[in-house]
Amino acid sequence: DIQMTQSPSSLSASVGDRVTITCRASQDIRNDLGWYQQKPGKAPKRLIYATSSLQSGVPSRFSGSGSGTEFTLTISGLQPEDFATYYCLQHNTFPYTFGQGTNLEIK
Amino acid sequence: QVQLVESGGGLVKPGGSLRLSCAASGFTFENHYMSWIRQAPGKGLEWLSYISTTSGFTKYADSVKGRFTISRDNAKNSLYLQMNSLKVEDTAVYYCARDLNTPGYWGQGTLVTVSS
């Protein structure tokens, strides 16, 4: 199975900050990676697909980059509603696997 | 608008069975691969299984292979997950999701609790 190592596992930041979350794949997954935001009690919400394509309706402060084995999600100018848990997902090889999550908290 | 609504969760004893359903609306169900993904309480996400548009192809994670069966009824716009030989570690919220490449549509989830 492809392991997705997501870091950091938790992150404290302030409104207005720029934060970066990283996912490393245990093998080349090309650009078959997406990012989700999840709030307590809710289903995950797609933010980014195909590494860097922004989901319609998602603010442009969210961006994704990378290829191969290293990928990043950047949030530029944190807003109060962005405090949540974030997951990456590889869909290159089944079983599709998620990173372990990054809990983004208010500092 | 696209809607996915899961049902069938509940409390079941270890070794028991449960069948989850996912009712789809707002899109042409028969044109889309469908999946089941779960999340144990306070834990991360685990992709369990997917099924092709005509049910001709299915895939399972090792953790559920041989115990869970995914199926669909395109005439009823419904997806199913038959879960047998349930274990305590199968306790989770189970989501259905549309498409394979970073699914953009998920249901609200249904909670399955396996406990004696």
Side-chain angles (χ1 to χ4, degrees), chain A residues 44-98:
Chain A
K45 173 187 173 183
R46 184 171 71 177
L47 301 174
I48 301 283
Y49 60 96
T51 297
S52 59
S53 296
L54 189 67
Q55 170 68 26
S56 175
V58 172
S60 59
R61 62 181 178 270
F62 291 90
S63 64
S65 64
S67 69
T69 61
E70 188 151 337
F71 303 85
T72 59
L73 172 71
T74 299
I75 312 171
S76 301
L78 275 172
Q79 296 300 300
E81 60 268 28
D82 299 338
F83 293 94
T85 301
Y86 293 84
Y87 294 94
C88 63
L89 164 69
Q90 71 81 16
H91 55 84
N92 177 268
T93 303
F94 197 82
Y96 303 148
T97 44
F98 293 86

Side-chain angles (χ1 to χ4, degrees), chain A residues 6-11 20-22 100-103:
Chain A
Q6 188 172 337
S7 61
S9 55
S10 64
L11 177 58
T20 298
I21 299 168
T22 298
Q100 73 269 36
T102 294
N103 184 24

Side-chain angles (χ1 to χ4, degrees), chain B residues 34-91:
Chain B
M34 298 294 296
S35 296
W36 288 99
I37 297 165
R38 72 183 177 185
Q39 186 169 37
K43 302 296 185 183
L45 296 156
E46 181 185 15
W47 198 304
L48 299 180
S49 179
Y50 72 73
I51 186 168
S52 63
T53 54
T54 59
S55 304
F57 189 72
T58 58
K59 280 279 213 181
Y60 297 92
D62 285 346
S63 58
V64 303
K65 197 176 297 181
R67 300 189 299 123
F68 290 11
T69 302
I70 191 171
S71 63
R72 65 190 295 163
D73 185 336
N74 287 343
K76 294 184 177 180
N77 290 339
S78 292
L79 175 73
Y80 305 102
L81 186 67
Q82 178 66 43
M83 305 187 296
N84 298 330
S85 303
L86 282 162
K87 306 175 181 179
V88 170
E89 53 265 37
D90 293 320
T91 295

